[in-house]
Amino acid sequence: MTINNNYLNLKDSYLFSTIAKKVREYSSQNPNAKIIRMGIGDVTRPLVPAVISAMQNAVVDMSKAETFKGYGDEQGYGFLQTAVKGYYAKKGVPLELNEIFIGDGAKSDLGNILDIFGTENAVLIPDPVYPVYVDTNIMHGRKIVFMNGNLGNGFLPMPIELNKTKADIIYLCSPNNPTGAVYTKAQLAEWVSYAKKHNAVILFDSAYEAFVTDKTLPTSIFEIKGAADCAIEFCSLSKTAGFTGTRCGYTVVPNALKNGDISINKLWLRRQTTKFNGVSYVVQRGAEAVFSDEGLAQITKDIEYYLGNAKIIASTLDELGIAYTGGNNSPYIWLKIPNSNDSWAFFDMLLEKAQIVGTPGAGFGASGEGHFRFSAFGQRENVIEAMERLKQILK
Amino acid sequence: MTINNNYLNLKDSYLFSTIAKKVREYSSQNPNAKIIRMGIGDVTRPLVPAVISAMQNAVVDMSKAETFKGYGDEQGYGFLQTAVKGYYAKKGVPLELNEIFIGDGAKSDLGNILDIFGTENAVLIPDPVYPVYVDTNIMHGRKIVFMNGNLGNGFLPMPIELNKTKADIIYLCSPNNPTGAVYTKAQLAEWVSYAKKHNAVILFDSAYEAFVTDKTLPTSIFEIKGAADCAIEFCSLSKTAGFTGTRCGYTVVPNALKNGDISINKLWLRRQTTKFNGVSYVVQRGAEAVFSDEGLAQITKDIEYYLGNAKIIASTLDELGIAYTGGNNSPYIWLKIPNSNDSWAFFDMLLEKAQIVGTPGAGFGASGEGHFRFSAFGQRENVIEAMERLKQILK
């Protein structure tokens, strides 16, 4: 028996597992400390009433033989695919039902989509970046080329001509995790042209699209003409509707996306029908309710609440004269650490001196060093208190 | 961009998707036909009251900020790992909590476990077999060696010495899908010796362990001395507790299982923390209730109901003089098709002449040809009626 040796090339553990461990240790040594968590992007507001009601009804369905649901199609129930189709129609993006795959979240689909691509592909990944893109490709043994985000390009890397390497898979995340930066339509159109020119596929992580308030900014790669034959879009209800512990997302694989004659949509269908058994019925009914008029109105209030938190964090940094991206159109604020290039030291200092948990930029890649991420998903009072503590220690 | 060319070596679609399509077509052409489904192993009895109650409470938890749950550990909540640990303790198998990984079902984990092994491994797979084992290894480009089940060995393949190929991964499923046959402890001990001798890992699919009524038969590979350093066990609540549409299972990766110094448990943890975000909280609370005294008593009644169906099917075949395995200790009956070696023709005939859906043995592998699987998960009245129809057309 041999193992997949690529795993030996990974860091010891997933970034957020490392942070959770540090926080647990601090907490056990300081049991009275009131730790305010602004690190992992985890929501705090409960599921909205429309979703709760739908899930309660679905549990009742499961209690009676007449309405009990066994296996569903792996790609999701038609009622939920239809709801997602309607959501895209509002963005002016027409989809077929079969292009919509219901899954248990973007993290799973972003990792598992790699199964259907060859490993000889070179992958273009932004830096800084959500660690999953890097780790999952290391596990598959693919060559990774990083495109650097920095203050100069507003942490929005643009296409680069590579001398020796051909990029076959391109990751874009907008609104961006961790930087909160958002690509414009014009910028995404450049990326679509580049992908077509190089016969590459864009893996577009749209997990934070619901936070965009500026109506000139795109909320789907498919708003860009021509993207349907060179992009796959990954969406999640985690941040949109507080489903981090409920688990539901959707991945859009256009029928127009092909490799020669081979339909990428059919490959993903084959992967999912073979290695997955669908999302829980109760959860799919909850997800369906998100897209009802009532559900959308309720989740919009929660998104506005989180964006209100982001504004408070941003204002505090303005007061302190600290540079940052994000905070508008995104629940993340990505700050330049004052007077230091050591983000883990800043992490430790914040935890010890202010009992605030954030995420060190170095955890997101080499270009993340010297930066730090705050997430705006906490409770308002905690965000306000955290910012007071921050002003105390950094003034 | 290149695709994973191994996908071109797969049959067009997953077996049960093909069957579902044929049944849909027949049904639309014959809208008044009362089709009785004994094909895919899908349960019909609703979730038991203890589970429903737990899920209802969990949905209430999710409706309030104080009890709302966001991200859980990817490997599952401690409350559920603890319940599973207790279930194994009753089998006389002591486990550590960290050896128990909560997942969304055996189908996902059986496919995804392959990520952590090298692709140069040769895989030993029974024939006939649950198609997922074969398809997922084809997707990874591994060499497959089939071990034939047949009437002679009671569809329980035993270790074979391979001349040129070294088997590194061995799939065993007991109680077996599709044949319903069950390995004895002595037989499993031979497999454990073989795996140790060849430094191979056994992937033990225990999805049907709850159907074993004969107390001399093992319900876990870990009842066999020495299995902890050469086996991984995959369990599911799908058939045990009717979770086919609810989605929960658990995979046991012993700490003793190593490749040299490398801990397989740590590799699986790394895979799951990177490519998975855990099972829905509401579902985990439902799963926890399965293992309570109340839950176990309730699911046991449902298992007895399904075994009662199996007995009716078995008795009918006895009357008709048709040979079969399974039906005891298993919800599957695997029959030798009378006077024919064409299982798809038998499938079509049963559907057209008796409106019964079964699963053709050829769908499970070359050694499955000439055989046919009935599943005993239907409603009692339907099973009785189906057997009357069968007697009519086969007498």
Side-chain angles (χ1 to χ4, degrees):
Chain A
M1 179 257 282
T2 57
I3 61 149
N4 177 348
N5 283 318
N6 294 316
Y7 274 62
L8 304 178
N9 298 329
L10 294 166
K11 286 201 204 66
D12 273 348
S13 79
Y14 183 57
L15 169 66
F16 294 105
S17 306
T18 305
I19 291 175
K21 189 165 176 247
K22 275 179 170 270
V23 173
R24 265 196 307 269
E25 280 164 5
Y26 179 84
S27 184
S28 63
Q29 286 154 21
N30 301 275
N32 294 324
K34 186 190 165 186
I35 298 172
I36 297 180
R37 289 166 165 70
M38 302 175 63
I40 191 168
D42 199 358
V43 296
T44 50
R45 291 174 79 66
L47 295 180
V48 298
V51 169
I52 290 295
S53 176
M55 290 180 75
Q56 278 166 336
N57 291 339
V59 172
V60 171
D61 285 346
M62 297 300 277
S63 74
K64 298 182 288 190
E66 317 80 79
T67 47
F68 172 78
K69 297 289 186 292
Y71 287 119
D73 281 344
E74 292 90 344
Q75 57 273 40
Y77 275 98
F79 63 70
L80 182 50
Q81 291 171 308
T82 299
V84 172
K85 176 178 171 165
Y87 187 66
Y88 271 86
K90 291 181 191 174
K91 296 172 195 276
V93 175
L95 294 178
E96 304 289 334
L97 288 191
N98 83 311
E99 297 178 309
I100 300 165
F101 293 81
I102 306 304
D104 69 332
K107 185 180 179 187
S108 304
D109 284 7
L110 280 161
N112 293 330
I113 195 75
L114 295 174
D115 286 9
I116 69 173
F117 295 110
T119 49
E120 57 275 18
N121 293 316
V123 182
L124 207 51
I125 299 183
D127 177 350
V129 74
Y130 178 47
V132 158
Y133 309 165
V134 175
D135 289 359
T136 51
N137 279 286
I138 290 176
M139 288 169 168
H140 283 252
R142 284 192 187 81
K143 180 178 163 63
I144 298 172
V145 176
F146 288 101
M147 17 180 208
N148 296 330
N150 48 51
L151 287 160
N153 60 25
F155 291 97
L156 288 167
M158 291 306 293
I160 43 178
E161 290 307 324
L162 304 167
N163 287 335
K164 292 177 192 144
T165 311
K166 187 159 143 3
D168 302 309
I169 297 175
I170 301 164
Y171 285 79
L172 298 177
C173 176
S174 181
N176 189 262
N177 176 11
T179 70
V182 187
Y183 281 110
T184 63
K185 284 185 189 174
Q187 288 173 320
L188 288 181
E190 274 193 62
W191 271 114
V192 168
S193 293
Y194 178 86
K196 283 175 178 311
K197 178 174 162 190
H198 294 286
N199 189 31
V201 62
I202 292 170
L203 302 183
F204 191 81
D205 184 349
S206 208
Y208 301 93
E209 57 88 20
F211 288 79
V212 174
T213 51
D214 177 347
K215 292 193 192 311
T216 68
L217 294 173
T219 61
S220 166
I221 187 70
F222 301 118
E223 291 184 43
I224 308 308
K225 191 167 139 68
D229 48 23
C230 64
I232 296 173
E233 182 155 287
F234 301 82
C235 303
S236 170
L237 294 184
S238 285
K239 309 303 161 54
T240 296
F243 271 48
T244 50
T246 303
R247 309 308 320 146
C248 193
Y250 45 98
T251 293
V252 178
V253 188
N255 289 322
L257 179 62
K258 289 180 187 291
N259 181 249
D261 289 331
I262 298 167
S263 159
I264 301 299
N265 178 291
K266 285 198 164 65
L267 287 187
W268 182 238
L269 179 66
R270 190 54 156 104
R271 192 269 171 209
Q272 291 296 76
T273 52
T274 310
K275 291 193 183 188
F276 182 58
N277 237 335
V279 171
S280 189
Y281 170 73
V282 168
V283 170
Q284 291 198 50
R285 281 297 189 191
E288 179 192 24
V290 170
F291 298 104
S292 66
D293 290 341
E294 189 190 9
L296 286 172
Q298 292 170 358
I299 60 146
T300 298
K301 282 196 155 57
D302 283 349
I303 288 171
E304 287 169 351
Y305 178 92
Y306 294 134
L307 285 171
N309 288 345
K311 198 164 178 182
I312 289 168
I313 297 168
S315 306
T316 305
L317 297 178
D318 285 336
E319 276 187 54
L320 291 167
I322 293 173
Y324 61 90
T325 36
N328 283 328
N329 305 303
S330 162
Y332 294 126
I333 296 92
W334 178 253
L335 63 99
K336 173 86 194 70
I337 299 168
N339 309 320
S340 166
N341 216 40
D342 187 337
S343 57
W344 278 107
F346 191 71
F347 172 92
D348 290 334
M349 189 273 289
L350 273 193
L351 181 56
E352 280 155 42
K353 288 198 160 39
Q355 293 80 53
I356 296 171
V357 181
T359 314
F364 297 104
S367 295
E369 187 54 290
H371 290 82
F372 201 78
R373 188 190 80 176
F374 280 134
S375 64
F377 292 114
Q379 287 173 19
R380 181 63 54 85
E381 322 78 66
N382 289 339
V383 173
I384 291 170
E385 184 176 341
M387 292 303 102
E388 287 306 312
R389 295 182 195 176
L390 198 71
K391 281 190 271 194
Q392 286 302 313
I393 61 164
L394 290 184
K395 64 177 186 258
Chain B
M1 181 256 280
T2 57
I3 62 149
N4 176 349
N5 282 316
N6 293 317
Y7 274 63
L8 304 178
N9 298 329
L10 294 166
K11 287 202 204 65
D12 274 346
S13 79
Y14 183 57
L15 169 66
F16 294 105
S17 307
T18 305
I19 291 173
K21 189 164 177 251
K22 277 178 168 270
V23 174
R24 266 196 306 270
E25 279 162 8
Y26 178 84
S27 184
S28 62
Q29 285 154 21
N30 301 275
N32 293 326
K34 185 187 167 189
I35 298 172
I36 297 181
R37 288 164 164 72
M38 301 173 65
I40 192 169
D42 199 358
V43 295
T44 51
R45 292 175 79 67
L47 295 180
V48 299
V51 169
I52 291 295
S53 175
M55 290 179 77
Q56 278 168 336
N57 290 340
V59 173
V60 171
D61 284 348
M62 297 301 277
S63 74
K64 298 183 287 190
E66 316 82 79
T67 48
F68 173 78
K69 296 289 187 288
Y71 286 119
D73 281 344
E74 292 90 346
Q75 58 272 41
Y77 276 98
F79 63 71
L80 183 50
Q81 292 171 307
T82 298
V84 171
K85 175 178 171 167
Y87 186 65
Y88 271 86
K90 290 181 193 172
K91 298 174 193 275
V93 175
L95 295 179
E96 304 289 334
L97 288 191
N98 84 311
E99 297 178 309
I100 300 165
F101 292 82
I102 306 304
D104 68 334
K107 186 179 178 186
S108 306
D109 284 7
L110 280 161
N112 293 330
I113 194 74
L114 296 173
D115 287 8
I116 69 174
F117 294 110
T119 49
E120 58 275 15
N121 291 319
V123 182
L124 207 51
I125 299 183
D127 179 348
V129 74
Y130 178 45
V132 158
Y133 309 164
V134 176
D135 288 359
T136 51
N137 278 287
I138 290 176
M139 288 170 168
H140 282 252
R142 284 193 186 82
K143 179 179 165 62
I144 297 172
V145 176
F146 288 101
M147 14 178 210
N148 297 327
N150 48 53
L151 287 160
N153 60 26
F155 292 97
L156 287 168
M158 291 306 292
I160 44 179
E161 289 307 324
L162 304 167
N163 288 335
K164 293 177 192 146
T165 311
K166 188 159 145 1
D168 301 310
I169 296 175
I170 301 164
Y171 286 79
L172 299 176
C173 176
S174 180
N176 188 260
N177 177 11
T179 71
V182 188
Y183 281 111
T184 63
K185 284 185 189 173
Q187 288 173 317
L188 287 181
E190 274 193 61
W191 272 114
V192 167
S193 293
Y194 178 86
K196 283 175 178 312
K197 177 175 163 189
H198 294 286
N199 190 29
V201 62
I202 293 169
L203 302 184
F204 191 80
D205 183 351
S206 207
Y208 302 93
E209 57 87 21
F211 287 80
V212 174
T213 50
D214 176 347
K215 294 195 191 310
T216 67
L217 294 173
T219 62
S220 165
I221 187 71
F222 301 118
E223 292 185 40
I224 309 306
K225 192 167 137 71
D229 48 23
C230 64
I232 296 173
E233 183 156 288
F234 301 83
C235 304
S236 170
L237 294 184
S238 285
K239 310 301 160 55
T240 296
F243 271 48
T244 49
T246 303
R247 311 306 323 145
C248 193
Y250 44 97
T251 294
V252 178
V253 189
N255 289 321
L257 180 62
K258 288 180 187 290
N259 181 249
D261 288 331
I262 298 167
S263 158
I264 301 300
N265 178 292
K266 286 197 164 61
L267 287 186
W268 183 239
L269 180 67
R270 189 55 155 103
R271 192 269 171 208
Q272 291 296 74
T273 53
T274 308
K275 291 192 182 187
F276 182 59
N277 236 335
V279 171
S280 189
Y281 170 74
V282 168
V283 169
Q284 292 198 50
R285 281 296 188 192
E288 179 191 25
V290 169
F291 298 104
S292 66
D293 290 342
E294 188 190 11
L296 286 172
Q298 292 170 357
I299 60 147
T300 298
K301 283 195 151 59
D302 283 350
I303 288 172
E304 287 169 353
Y305 177 91
Y306 294 134
L307 285 171
N309 289 342
K311 198 163 176 180
I312 288 168
I313 297 167
S315 305
T316 303
L317 297 178
D318 285 337
E319 275 187 55
L320 291 168
I322 293 173
Y324 61 91
T325 37
N328 285 329
N329 303 304
S330 162
Y332 294 127
I333 295 91
W334 177 252
L335 64 98
K336 174 85 195 69
I337 299 168
N339 309 319
S340 166
N341 216 41
D342 187 338
S343 56
W344 278 107
F346 191 71
F347 172 91
D348 290 333
M349 190 275 287
L350 274 194
L351 182 56
E352 279 154 44
K353 293 201 156 44
Q355 292 80 53
I356 296 172
V357 181
T359 314
F364 296 104
S367 294
E369 186 55 289
H371 290 82
F372 201 79
R373 188 190 80 174
F374 281 134
S375 63
F377 292 114
Q379 287 175 17
R380 181 61 57 82
E381 324 76 66
N382 289 339
V383 173
I384 290 171
E385 181 174 345
M387 291 302 101
E388 287 307 310
R389 295 182 193 175
L390 197 70
K391 281 189 274 194
Q392 286 303 313
I393 64 165
L394 291 184
K395 64 176 184 259

